[in-house]
């Protein structure tokens, strides 16, 4: 790939920061508070602005409603702009209220389903008001014990509720449907895998697409294969990037398995060049987002690390010699196929990325520059003062 094309495709790759990844978060065992963690939306936008300022590839922030709910959305849009970012996907929250104990859009009680659907519709309105073009849906819905409920009845209610939401989507707005095999439901999850998600999207219509959260797979799942299938069907809507060792660990991207991320990107890079417009457009429109909860590491540092890793990995995937790979594939030369992937993966792209950053007026090393800035210390002091005796609470309460 020539330098100009490499640069163009590198620059087209941007990733959204999750507002909830900048707040205090924890596990079911506890939350260890970080003195600088953002709490109010203005703080989250300021922190997301820092990620963008140092990496140059995170120009949007995903919001979670009601955690980020405020009265004046045009003010939020302006505040985001002042921090050098825009509002990304709007995430409804139908998993915390008492009434959702036995499900939200699948609940057997029509009044609970209505409340959940109305919350989605409110999120569509927020997306319109903030200039966002996507709502991103994840459900804790499921059951904990065999025999607890009819899984088929829940499936029917899920579709009916989502059809009501879909009907309210304006032209150009996407509905991204995420899946997860287990947790918090421990017997069955209503949208447990990509197949369930795809089936729903196909029934709903073209504006519904599947969202792949890399942490939402059982051990050993071939995620790049799932990505390839969804691309081929034109139904891959986006990603939540994070890393994991065991389950939905929400670790910094690349912390555990950077080669898997590379193989996922290899599929996406290839799809962008596909002769089929359905596949190529699907890949180009894919919404890249982080979904990580750095509950032991400084929030912003962890997101900056993730941003650097995804950009490096994207650059490596761009370097795969596709013409040679095709030749090797046609000749069934497995060794050469593997070598070509490994060659790209082993290339040290850091000097190229440092050069790119400097050409954009960014520091060559985003994390080092952020650390030098003293931002965490500064906001820890400011936020402690601002909160006074108020106890800092995070995304999870
Ligand atoms: C819970 O698993 C989760 O991490 C999902 O991945 C959602 O995308 C995220 O929370 C925000 O609701
Ligand atoms: Mn997710």
């Amino acid at each position: 790939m020539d330098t100009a094309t490499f640069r163009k495709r590198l620059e087209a790759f941007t990733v959204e920061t999750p507002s909830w990844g900048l707040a205090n978060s924890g596990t079911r065992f506890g939350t260890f508070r970080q003195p600088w963690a953002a709490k109010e939306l203005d703080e989250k936008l300021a922190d997301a602005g820092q990620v963008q300022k140092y990496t140059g590839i995170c120009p949007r922030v995903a919001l979670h409603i009601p955690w980020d709910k405020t009265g004046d959305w045009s003010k939020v849009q302006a505040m985001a702009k002042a921090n050098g970012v825009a509002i990304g996907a709007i995430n409804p929250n139908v998993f915390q209220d008492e009434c959702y104990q036995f499900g939200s859009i699948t609940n057997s009680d029509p009044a609970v389903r209505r409340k959940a659907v109305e919350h989605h519709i409110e999120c569509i309105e927020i997306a319109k008001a903030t200039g966002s073009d996507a709502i991103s849906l994840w459900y804790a819905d499921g059951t904990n014990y065999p025999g607890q409920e009819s899984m088929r009845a829940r499936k029917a209610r899920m579709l009916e509720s989502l059809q009501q939401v879909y009907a309210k989507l304006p032209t150009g707005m996407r509905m991204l449907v995420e899946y997860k095999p287990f947790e918090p439901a421990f017997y069955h999850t209503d949208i447990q895998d990509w197949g369930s998600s795809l089936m729903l999207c196909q029934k709903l219509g073209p504006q519904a697409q599947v969202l792949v959260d890399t942490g939402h797979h059982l051990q050993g799942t071939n995620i790049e294969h799932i990505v390839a299938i969804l691309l081929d069907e034109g139904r891959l809507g986006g990603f939540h990037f994070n890393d994991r060792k065991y389950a939905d660990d929400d670790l910094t991207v690349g912390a555990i398995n950077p080669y898997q991320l590379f193989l996922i990107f290899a599929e996406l890079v290839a799809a962008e060049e596909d002769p089929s417009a359905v596949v190529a457009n699907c890949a180009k429109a894919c919404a890249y987002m982080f979904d990580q909860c750095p509950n032991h590491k400084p929030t912003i540092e962890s997101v900056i690390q993730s941003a650097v890793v995804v950009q490096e990995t994207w650059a490596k995937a761009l370097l795969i010699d596709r013409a040679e790979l095709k030749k090797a594939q046609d000749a069934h030369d497995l060794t050469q196929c593997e070598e070509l992937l490994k060659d790209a993966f082993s290339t040290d792209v850091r000097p190229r990325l440092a050069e790119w950053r400097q050409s954009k007026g960014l520091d060559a090393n985003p994390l080092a520059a952020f650390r030098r800035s003293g931002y965490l210390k500064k906001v820890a002091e400011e936020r402690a003062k601002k909160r006074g005796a108020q106890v800092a609470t995070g995304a999870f309460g």
Side-chain angles (χ1 to χ4, degrees):
M1 184 180 301
D2 62 82
T3 317
T5 314
F6 173 83
R7 207 186 150 99
K8 199 168 145 226
R9 294 185 68 184
L10 185 73
E11 283 183 8
F13 179 80
T14 60
V15 189
E16 216 163 284
T17 302
S19 71
W20 58 97
L22 298 164
N24 274 318
S25 60
T27 67
R28 65 196 170 107
F29 301 103
T31 296
F32 299 101
R33 298 198 166 94
Q34 302 188 17
W36 44 75
K39 185 182 175 200
E40 316 296 344
L41 184 53
D42 60 329
E43 297 166 352
K44 293 174 188 170
L45 295 174
D47 290 2
Q50 291 292 302
V51 176
Q52 167 64 359
K53 177 176 171 187
Y54 290 98
T55 65
I57 68 155
C58 298
R60 289 174 309 279
V61 195
L63 302 187
H64 217 299
I65 308 298
W67 294 336
D68 296 323
K69 195 167 168 174
T70 118
D72 188 345
W73 291 110
S74 56
K75 210 164 136 197
V76 169
Q77 225 183 344
M79 216 191 316
K81 201 169 168 210
N83 284 294
V85 289
I87 303 301
I90 305 297
N91 292 244
N93 174 333
V94 285
F95 49 81
Q96 254 186 337
D97 290 3
E98 205 62 32
C99 66
Y100 297 135
Q101 182 178 8
F102 299 115
S104 61
I105 54 171
T106 61
N107 199 299
S108 54
D109 182 343
V112 176
R113 295 204 297 280
R114 175 96 309 256
K115 179 179 150 123
V117 167
E118 272 163 14
H119 178 58
H120 285 69
I121 296 170
E122 180 193 4
C123 287
I124 293 176
E125 291 306 316
I126 294 173
K128 284 191 211 162
T130 52
S132 160
D133 62 0
I135 55 164
S136 192
L137 315 179
W138 173 76
Y139 301 99
D141 291 45
T143 61
N144 272 8
Y145 291 94
Q148 183 182 326
E149 266 199 65
S150 159
M151 293 186 270
R152 288 198 297 118
R154 292 176 68 93
K155 173 175 172 279
R157 296 194 290 259
M158 164 84 73
L159 178 62
E160 192 191 278
S161 302
L162 286 181
Q163 278 167 336
Q164 290 165 14
V165 177
Y166 189 90
K168 301 284 182 190
L169 281 180
T171 317
M173 189 179 290
R174 284 192 287 173
M175 173 196 262
L176 306 175
V177 184
E178 186 173 347
Y179 56 91
K180 184 174 183 178
F182 77 100
E183 201 223 6
F186 289 116
Y187 173 59
H188 107 282
T189 294
D190 288 298
I191 311 182
Q192 58 138 341
D193 60 10
W194 67 273
S196 315
S197 188
L198 176 64
M199 180 191 63
L200 272 168
C201 293
Q202 284 171 334
K203 288 187 180 184
L204 288 167
Q207 284 166 263
Q209 291 185 309
V210 180
L211 185 140
V212 177
D213 182 315
T214 46
H216 290 193
H217 300 90
L218 298 176
Q219 292 285 5
T221 302
N222 184 335
I223 303 175
E224 55 273 24
H225 184 195
I226 296 171
V227 169
I229 293 174
L230 293 173
L231 281 166
D232 211 57
E233 295 294 322
R235 288 290 183 154
L236 180 66
F239 278 90
H240 274 177
F241 295 127
N242 48 51
D243 213 341
R244 51 73 74 85
K245 178 74 178 164
Y246 301 104
D248 187 25
D249 306 344
D250 280 337
L251 300 180
T252 307
V253 181
I256 307 290
N257 193 350
Y259 194 54
Q260 176 181 264
L261 183 68
F262 170 78
L263 296 175
I264 292 171
F265 282 176
E267 291 302 325
L268 288 153
V269 163
E272 284 189 356
E273 298 162 16
D274 201 276
S276 150
V278 171
V279 176
N281 293 340
C282 179
K284 286 178 192 156
C286 199
Y288 297 121
M289 310 175 230
F290 295 123
D291 180 10
Q292 54 182 86
C293 281
N295 49 30
H296 290 188
K297 264 181 177 176
T299 44
I300 304 175
E301 290 189 2
S302 172
V303 184
I304 290 178
Q305 282 185 304
S306 288
V308 169
V309 165
V310 289
Q311 196 185 29
E312 282 174 6
T313 312
W314 184 256
K316 289 176 184 200
L318 289 174
L319 292 179
I320 298 170
D321 189 333
R322 301 236 149 247
E324 284 303 312
L325 184 61
K326 176 80 176 68
K327 272 195 230 158
Q329 287 172 340
D330 290 346
H332 300 298
D333 185 349
L334 278 63
T335 311
Q336 177 64 354
C337 291
E338 194 189 351
E339 285 299 304
L340 286 163
L341 291 187
K342 291 248 177 86
D343 262 357
F345 182 66
S346 309
T347 307
D348 185 359
V349 292
R350 287 174 301 179
R352 288 175 92 147
L353 293 184
E355 212 176 282
W356 173 79
R357 286 186 194 111
Q358 278 165 335
S359 77
K360 297 271 158 202
L362 304 172
D363 195 282
N365 183 331
L367 185 61
F370 173 70
R371 287 194 148 193
R372 271 198 314 274
S373 75
Y375 180 84
L376 288 183
K377 188 169 174 290
K378 181 173 102 38
V379 295
E381 283 164 10
E382 283 170 9
R383 289 171 189 177
K385 208 157 144 204
K386 182 171 154 194
R387 303 207 215 296
Q390 191 189 348
V391 179
T393 55
F396 296 95

